[in-house]
Amino acid sequence: MSAINTNALNVNYPTPGTNNSTQGFRDNFATIKNNFDTTKTELNDLQNKVLLKSALSNSTLDNDMSNGLISNVLTKGFRSTTFNLGSNLPSEIKVDVSKGDVQYGTITQDTMISFAGWAPTGTQSNVQINLTIANSSATVFFPDSSYNSSAILTNGPSASIRILENYGSNSSPGTNIVHSNQVTPPASVNQLQYTVSTVNCGTTLDVYPLNRNQVTSRIELRTMYQVQSIGGDYYKVPVGMKGLPGDTAGAICTDGSFVYICVATYDGSSNIWGSIGGGIYGLSNVGPLT
C-alpha cells in the first residue's frame, strides 16, 4: 500500500479576499514535497522489484526473482536458457547451474564434471547436460558418492546414476564408503544427454539419461557373423565378436538369429562378445556351410 498521504494538504488555502499568512503556503508546499519524496521512493522500489517486458529508461533489464514465489500461473511458450561450456572441455570443469538451464560442450578427453550455483535447499533445481563425444575412449567422471556409517548417502550422486548405460565405479554403496561415478560412451554414440537434479543445493544429486536407456528396454541390432568363401567352402565368420569402442560387460545385442552378450571391455583385439549359451566363438568353431 502506498505511503503517499495528502491529508495534510489544505486545498482551501489561501482564502479568497483576505490577507493570508505565508505559513499556509509553506505547509502545503512541505506536504507536496514530502509526497513527491515518497513517490520517488516507491517508484524506485517498484523499478527494483517488478517484472518487466523490456528495460526502463536509464536501466538494464533484470527480472531476477531471487527465489521469490510465483504461484497459480498459466504459461505458454516457456523457454530454457542455454550456455556453451566449450568445444574442447578440459580434464576438470565446474558447471555453474545459474548460467543456463541447458549446458553443452564437447568431450575430447577424460573429464571430471562438478557442479555449482544450485538453487537453495528446499527447492528442486535441475540442469540438462548435453555432451558431444569427440573421443570415444574418453571417460566422463561425476562427483564421488559418500555414505555414512548407516549406509545413507551424504554427498554426491544417488544410486540413480548406477543404472546409466556404461556406468562404472571403483566400489558400491555401503557403510562409510566413498565411491567414484563415471560413464564411458557406448559404441557408436556421439551424444550423451543427462538431467542432473537436486533438492538440497547440490549436496546430493540424481542423474537421469535423456537420449540413452537407463534400463534396457530394447536390444541393439548388430552384424556378428558374415558368410565368406574360404578355400572353396563357405564359412560363417565372426566379424563382430571383438566389439566396438564403448562396449562393456553386460551389453546385449542380436543379429536377428542369435542373442549375444558382452563379457569384457573393448580392447580392440580380444573377442568380447559371445552367443548366449554358446561361449565366445572364433573361426575354428564353425565349419563349411551347406
Side-chain angles (χ1 to χ4, degrees):
M1 181 177 294
S2 175
I4 296 173
N5 185 355
T6 60
N7 291 335
L9 187 63
N10 186 354
V11 297
N12 295 315
Y13 187 87
T15 304
T18 63
N19 291 327
N20 293 271
S21 170
T22 59
Q23 184 62 49
F25 288 108
R26 290 193 294 271
D27 290 344
N28 275 350
F29 286 145
T31 298
I32 293 170
K33 179 183 183 302
N34 289 338
N35 280 301
F36 270 126
D37 291 340
T38 300
T39 301
K40 178 181 178 181
T41 300
E42 291 183 351
L43 286 174
N44 286 337
D45 192 40
L46 283 172
Q47 291 178 354
N48 290 330
K49 295 178 179 178
V50 297
L51 297 177
L52 301 169
K53 293 175 62 176
S54 59
L56 299 175
S57 299
N58 302 317
S59 69
T60 57
L61 185 65
D62 182 3
N63 284 327
D64 187 351
M65 290 292 295
S66 299
N67 207 46
L69 176 66
I70 298 179
S71 63
N72 198 27
V73 175
L74 180 66
T75 63
K76 181 179 180 180
F78 185 79
R79 296 162 176 81
S80 296
T81 55
T82 61
F83 180 75
N84 188 354
L85 295 168
S87 58
N88 183 10
L89 296 186
S91 59
E92 295 185 15
I93 183 170
K94 179 169 289 187
V95 175
D96 185 343
V97 178
S98 65
K99 292 183 177 180
D101 299 328
V102 179
Q103 304 198 22
Y104 58 95
T106 301
I107 297 292
T108 59
Q109 60 185 310
D110 290 352
T111 301
M112 167 66 76
I113 299 178
S114 60
F115 299 90
W118 293 108
T121 295
T123 60
Q124 180 171 313
S125 184
N126 306 311
V127 64
Q128 180 177 324
I129 305 297
N130 296 344
L131 301 175
T132 299
I133 307 300
N135 180 354
S136 61
S137 299
T139 299
V140 178
F141 293 88
F142 288 89
D144 291 346
S145 296
S146 302
Y147 291 80
N148 63 18
S149 59
S150 299
I152 296 175
L153 178 70
T154 59
N155 201 275
S158 69
S160 63
I161 197 173
R162 298 185 69 85
I163 49 178
L164 296 181
E165 189 176 22
N166 276 19
Y167 171 82
S169 179
N170 61 359
S171 184
S172 299
T175 58
N176 298 318
I177 287 291
V178 177
H179 69 71
S180 64
N181 300 289
Q182 62 262 9
V183 293
T184 54
S188 305
V189 169
N190 57 17
Q191 284 283 334
L192 293 177
Q193 298 177 352
Y194 302 107
T195 291
V196 184
S197 177
T198 181
V199 294
N200 50 22
C201 198
T203 300
T204 60
L205 307 170
D206 291 313
V207 185
Y208 304 104
L210 292 175
N211 69 327
R212 304 295 301 176
N213 292 329
Q214 186 171 31
V215 177
T216 301
S217 60
R218 60 181 294 167
I219 299 177
E220 182 182 357
L221 292 174
R222 285 203 192 174
T223 300
M224 304 303 285
Y225 285 92
Q226 287 181 353
V227 176
Q228 297 181 9
S229 175
I230 302 177
D233 290 319
Y234 288 94
Y235 289 82
K236 193 178 181 184
V237 179
V239 295
M241 292 305 195
K242 289 182 174 60
L244 297 170
D247 286 343
T248 58
I252 299 174
C253 73
T254 181
D255 59 8
S257 298
F258 296 94
V259 176
Y260 303 89
I261 187 168
C262 186
V263 297
T265 299
Y266 174 81
D267 62 11
S269 59
S270 304
N271 286 341
I272 60 173
W273 285 89
S275 172
I276 293 179
I280 297 179
Y281 290 97
L283 179 60
S284 60
N285 299 113
V286 296
L289 299 177
T290 59

